[in-house]
Amino acid sequence: FENRSGDSLYNWFFRAASPAAGALAWDGTYKTTGAGSARVDITSSSPTGSDVWLIQFHLPFTMGKTYRLSFDAMASQARPITVGFQSS
């Protein structure tokens, strides 16, 4: 879990809408490539799955180019995950 700056969580943000709550931390324990991973610990869940976000802003994309997104994810129990892109 690294980005072009080389910093572990540089430009990554965690947000939770009440009643969901949690925290983002760097974790060197679980990784498939790179030095580690982002760990999101959810301390209070919500009935709405969209109340917890891990966000990276300001990714440079070039119109007309093709990009491939890949990542590994794990959870303590089965749950859905949604991935999206948004133009600013």
Side-chain angles (χ1 to χ4, degrees):
F1 189 86
E2 297 174 5
N3 58 40
R4 60 188 165 90
S5 74
D7 296 332
S8 56
L9 293 176
Y10 173 79
N11 216 25
W12 285 91
F13 302 93
F14 171 79
R15 291 195 181 152
S18 183
L24 170 64
W26 173 253
D27 187 339
T29 306
Y30 298 103
K31 57 188 175 186
T32 55
T33 61
S37 61
R39 179 182 179 111
V40 176
D41 290 310
I42 299 170
T43 55
S44 178
S45 63
S46 166
T48 305
S50 62
D51 283 347
V52 175
W53 308 285
L54 178 60
I55 306 164
Q56 187 175 28
F57 292 112
H58 310 297
L59 293 173
F61 289 103
T62 303
M63 187 182 304
K65 287 189 75 174
T66 301
Y67 296 88
R68 180 183 306 226
L69 171 70
S70 65
F71 61 91
D72 293 306
M74 60 186 267
S76 58
Q77 64 187 42
R79 63 184 71 230
I81 185 170
T82 302
V83 177
F85 291 89
Q86 180 175 333
S87 176
S88 58

